[in-house]
Amino acid sequence: GQQLNQSPQSMFIQEGEDVSMNCTSSSIFNTWLWYKQDPGEGPVLLIALYKAGELTSNGRLTAQFGITRKDSFLNISASIPSDVGIYFCAGQLLGGAQKLVFGQGTRLTINP
Amino acid sequence: EPEVTQTPSHQVTQMGQEVILRCVPISNHLYFYWYRQILGQKVEFLVSFYNNEISEKSEIFDDQFSVERPDGSNFTLKIRSTKLEDSAMYFCASSEEGQSTYGYTFGSGTRLTVV
């Protein structure tokens, strides 16, 4: 089936450091979304990407949709304690239905 | 900000029992979804629902699962005879349009524990 490969699986950083994570796939995606999930909560949308090559920011977060529509990265600058959580990429396949395909997640831990 | 609400937040059930998970999607959304997340794993698509019928379902969504929109506001997931491996977080989501581009919003989930 369709797969999104997300890396790294986990990150341990110091407060104030920048963070980068990415997702790749062999499939072409129509839309790419980045979500954050806190323990016991549902995914919360951070950034949505619609066009190949699109670079979008949301505060300290920046994400880009790869030119081939098969990959994306998410950067977090100047991390703060509330950035702790699990970050998921999710994509809607080109020509597909409404479902989202999720990556395996990146668990971010921040040392104060 | 509009929310997708799910009840209960946690349900414990015995193996073989039926459970119904409930969701109230955002009122002007037209597409409704159920996803599942086994502890420590990624979120997996179960089913999408539009115009009072299933539009797509995954291989996880077998004959033990069913969905219903019994009235204008609720959207339910029923598991007829629960198995231990059905233990997971179940998330409801809704969106304004067929594309996930706009307002694809998730609820906080129901944690189902099958014992």
Side-chain angles (χ1 to χ4, degrees):
Chain A
Q2 300 90 16
Q3 294 257 1
L4 287 182
N5 300 308
Q6 186 170 352
S7 65
Q9 287 188 344
S10 60
M11 301 184 73
F12 298 85
I13 63 169
Q14 296 294 124
E15 184 178 347
E17 287 185 8
D18 296 343
V19 171
S20 185
M21 60 192 79
N22 68 85
C23 281
T24 62
S25 176
S26 58
S27 302
I28 295 174
F29 285 90
N30 186 43
T31 303
W32 209 296
L33 308 172
W34 283 94
Y35 286 90
K36 179 174 183 275
Q37 185 179 29
D38 292 327
E41 297 291 326
V44 175
L45 182 65
L46 299 174
I47 290 181
L49 301 162
Y50 315 130
K51 299 176 183 175
E54 179 180 358
L55 182 70
T56 297
S57 293
N58 178 10
R60 294 178 295 106
L61 278 61
T62 302
Q64 185 161 30
F65 198 168
I67 198 72
T68 62
R69 290 183 172 271
K70 294 183 179 181
D71 61 291
S72 176
F73 70 75
L74 174 71
N75 289 341
I76 306 173
S77 63
S79 58
I80 59 177
S82 61
D83 291 334
V84 166
I86 303 178
Y87 292 80
F88 289 98
C89 59
Q92 183 194 35
L93 291 165
L94 192 64
Q98 301 85 10
K99 72 177 184 184
L100 294 182
V101 178
F102 279 80
Q104 301 96 324
T106 296
R107 181 181 295 275
L108 179 63
T109 303
I110 298 176
N111 300 316
Chain B
E1 188 169 321
E3 290 183 339
V4 174
T5 56
Q6 290 185 243
T7 55
S9 57
H10 190 188
Q11 177 145 6
V12 181
T13 188
Q14 288 201 325
M15 190 170 56
Q17 295 294 306
E18 174 183 288
V19 295
I20 298 176
L21 309 184
R22 302 181 191 279
C23 170
V24 178
I26 293 174
S27 61
N28 64 337
H29 285 187
L30 300 177
Y31 293 81
F32 314 116
Y33 316 86
W34 284 100
Y35 287 80
R36 180 183 81 174
Q37 185 179 32
I38 294 171
L39 184 65
Q41 298 187 21
K42 66 180 180 181
V43 179
E44 299 174 291
F45 170 79
L46 292 179
V47 65
S48 59
F49 191 87
Y50 170 72
N51 199 25
N52 286 319
E53 61 182 22
I54 291 174
S55 51
E56 187 176 0
K57 60 183 180 180
S58 72
E59 56 196 26
I60 302 169
F61 194 88
D62 62 22
D63 291 344
Q64 293 299 310
F65 291 87
S66 62
V67 290
E68 196 175 38
R69 187 156 164 81
D71 53 43
S73 60
N74 291 285
F75 180 51
T76 62
L77 174 69
K78 182 192 292 185
I79 309 175
R80 274 182 255 286
S81 177
T82 50
K83 304 186 286 286
L84 293 176
E85 54 265 36
D86 292 328
S87 295
M89 284 288 286
Y90 288 81
F91 294 107
C92 175
S94 66
S95 66
E96 269 183 297
E97 303 180 14
Q99 301 284 324
S100 60
T101 312
Y102 303 102
Y104 206 122
T105 305
F106 284 81
S108 296
T110 294
R111 179 176 298 282
L112 176 65
T113 303
V114 182
V115 297

